[in-house]
């Protein structure tokens, strides 16, 4: 059985895919026993054709297709369902976060005494000041609201044991999936380890949410709505396990 799997959701990332696949090849070579699952998350550009061409003859890298885009989180969840590894995780396709960062994250599970209780996440460096301030404000709110220290919630990669995934109930199918996983790990008293990752400028396309302050306002509104439900669900889960 493959021991580690990294899921990368790709939505209209055709121009990034050649470089992304090449970098994923580096990951597979560096991390023996690792597979990478690229999820064509309902793309409407040339992503399917580029994936077919770039993945031909590539060992350790495969793709799954989601016919209609139902959200960032949905694509990740579909990719995770296609994996059979003991350690799972995801990162972004836009190359702002290097897939090779996952190699450092996976190494933490080998050095951990109880890897079944470990949750690993990157911590971004090199971001614009405005984005850093926005992230800090959201992290502070979630820390106060959820009741656990939370920081840089959307940083990548995000890595965890399969048993943690199997404990999830009704995970969100949008960008709130990062918050859901992080908060669930904190609530479950898992050991959370962070490590610094360089956040590089986007090379192709544009962000699907971090476009302007109007887009950020919509993101905040959706996050707040989900946070209300999340705190209620975590409280119910804690009562049930008490």
């Amino acid at each position: 059985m493959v021991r580690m799997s990294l899921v990368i959701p790709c939505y209209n990332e055709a121009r990034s895919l050649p470089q992304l696949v090449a970098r994923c090849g580096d990951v597979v070579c560096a991390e023996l026993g690792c597979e990478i699952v690229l999820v064509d998350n309902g793309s409407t550009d040339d992503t399917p054709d580029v994936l077919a061409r770039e993945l031909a003859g590539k060992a350790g890298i495969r793709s799954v297709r989601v016919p209609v885009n139902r959200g960032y989180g949905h694509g990740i969840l579909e990719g995770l369902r296609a994996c059979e590894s003991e350690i799972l995780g995801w990162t972004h396709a836009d190359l702002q976060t290097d897939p090779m960062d996952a190699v450092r994250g996976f190494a933490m599970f080998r050095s951990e005494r109880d890897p079944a209780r470990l949750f690993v996440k990157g911590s971004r460096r090199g971001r614009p000041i405005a984005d850093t301030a926005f992230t800090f404000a959201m992290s502070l709110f979630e820390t106060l609201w959820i009741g656990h220290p939370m920081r840089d919630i959307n940083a990548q990669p995000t890595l965890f044991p399969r048993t943690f995934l199997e404990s999830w109930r009704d995970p969100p199918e949008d960008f709130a999936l990062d918050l859901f996983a992080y908060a669930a790990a904190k609530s479950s008293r898992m050991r959370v380890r962070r490590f610094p990752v360089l956040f590089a400028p986007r090379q192709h396309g544009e962000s699907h949410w971090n476009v302007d302050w109007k887009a950020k306002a919509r993101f905040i509104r959706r996050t707040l709505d989900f946070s209300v439900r999340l705190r209620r669900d975590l409280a119910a889960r804690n009562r049930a396990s008490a």
Side-chain angles (χ1 to χ4, degrees):
M1 176 184 292
V2 175
R3 291 193 60 249
M4 300 176 179
S5 296
L6 182 66
V7 172
I8 305 180
C10 306
Y11 178 64
N12 291 346
E13 293 284 357
R15 287 193 293 167
S16 298
L17 285 176
Q19 186 176 353
L20 174 64
V21 171
R23 202 62 176 142
C24 289
D26 294 337
V27 175
V28 172
C29 290
E31 183 64 58
L32 300 180
C34 174
E35 71 166 352
I36 295 181
V37 178
L38 300 174
V39 180
D40 176 6
N41 199 15
S43 299
T44 56
D45 65 356
D46 293 332
T47 290
D49 293 335
V50 176
L51 275 175
R53 181 178 70 247
E54 294 295 327
L55 294 184
K58 295 287 195 307
I61 313 172
R62 58 191 174 97
S63 67
V64 298
R65 165 76 175 168
V66 175
V68 178
N69 186 288
R70 291 169 54 185
Y72 160 83
H74 178 81
I76 290 173
L77 292 168
E78 288 296 297
L80 292 173
R81 293 182 185 111
C83 300
E84 298 181 354
S85 302
E86 301 163 15
I87 306 300
L88 308 172
W90 68 76
T91 191
H92 292 163
D94 56 20
L95 295 172
Q96 287 187 280
T97 300
D98 190 343
M100 280 293 290
D101 291 332
V103 174
R104 287 189 290 152
F106 283 139
M108 294 181 179
F109 288 89
R110 286 192 292 271
S111 63
E112 185 72 14
R113 176 174 298 181
D114 186 8
R117 300 292 302 164
L118 180 63
F119 182 87
V120 173
K121 201 166 178 64
S123 182
R124 293 173 289 189
R125 300 290 186 270
R127 303 177 70 210
I129 294 176
D131 288 350
T132 300
F134 175 81
T135 294
F136 175 80
M138 292 299 295
S139 298
L140 179 61
F141 167 80
E142 295 296 349
T143 293
L144 298 173
W145 180 253
I146 300 298
H148 296 285
M150 309 280 287
R151 61 184 178 85
D152 204 1
I153 295 166
N154 294 96
Q156 304 303 331
T158 299
L159 308 169
F160 46 85
R162 169 171 289 279
T163 51
F164 178 56
L165 173 67
E166 293 170 347
S167 72
W168 293 2
R169 299 293 179 270
D170 194 25
E173 297 192 328
D174 58 10
F175 277 97
L177 183 63
D178 285 300
L179 171 60
F180 171 88
Y182 190 13
K186 288 279 192 175
S187 179
S188 299
R189 301 296 191 270
M190 296 178 73
R191 184 183 181 199
V192 177
R193 292 183 64 181
R194 308 295 296 264
F195 66 99
V197 299
L198 177 64
F199 194 72
R202 189 181 180 97
Q203 298 184 34
H204 302 288
E206 62 180 20
S207 170
H208 300 297
W209 75 272
N210 190 10
V211 180
D212 52 33
W213 282 103
K214 288 184 179 179
K216 286 183 178 180
R218 290 193 295 270
F219 173 80
I220 292 171
R221 202 160 43 241
R222 291 195 301 268
T223 301
L224 294 180
D225 289 343
F226 175 74
S227 296
V228 172
R229 193 189 89 189
L230 178 62
R231 187 168 77 165
R232 182 179 64 243
D233 291 348
L234 290 177
R237 177 177 175 176
N238 290 337
R239 287 194 299 270
S241 61

